[in-house]
Amino acid sequence: MDCMEMHVRWRHHQLGLLGYLRHMLASESFVDVTLYCQGKRLKAHRVLLSASSAYLQISQDEMNVGKCGQVLSAR
């Protein structure tokens, strides 16, 4: 049996992905953590916070964020 190989190319993948992530955040789809700082609240996606900041990744791991409460706070 012959093996078929397929290559898919998505033009402007990064722009499309960023647009979709912005839409997900605006509609609060899959938002799974809330940050509190100086009396303000920001809902976010844990995976994006972790990918963007080693500090937030470690903080979430240490606090077991996501298992209960889903809250990170700073003063």
Side-chain angles (χ1 to χ4, degrees), residues 10-29 45 48:
W10 182 2
R11 292 181 189 251
H12 311 292
H13 177 264
Q14 289 177 331
L15 292 176
L17 183 60
L18 287 175
Y20 184 68
L21 290 172
R22 282 188 194 104
H23 170 74
M24 288 176 55
L25 184 58
S27 65
E28 297 186 4
S29 298
H45 302 279
L48 295 179

Side-chain angles (χ1 to χ4, degrees), residues 13-69:
H13 177 264
Q14 289 177 331
L15 292 176
L17 183 60
L18 287 175
Y20 184 68
L21 290 172
R22 282 188 194 104
H23 170 74
M24 288 176 55
L25 184 58
S27 65
E28 297 186 4
S29 298
F30 303 106
V31 169
D32 55 359
V33 67
T34 303
L35 304 174
Y36 290 94
C37 185
Q38 298 179 345
K40 296 182 181 179
R41 182 182 79 169
L42 175 68
K43 293 186 177 186
H45 302 279
R46 288 183 61 212
V47 69
L48 295 179
L49 292 176
S50 295
S52 301
S53 167
Y55 173 78
L56 288 174
Q57 180 181 14
I58 291 167
S59 297
Q60 291 179 84
D61 287 342
E62 289 176 354
M63 296 172 62
N64 286 326
V65 172
K67 295 188 178 180
C68 65

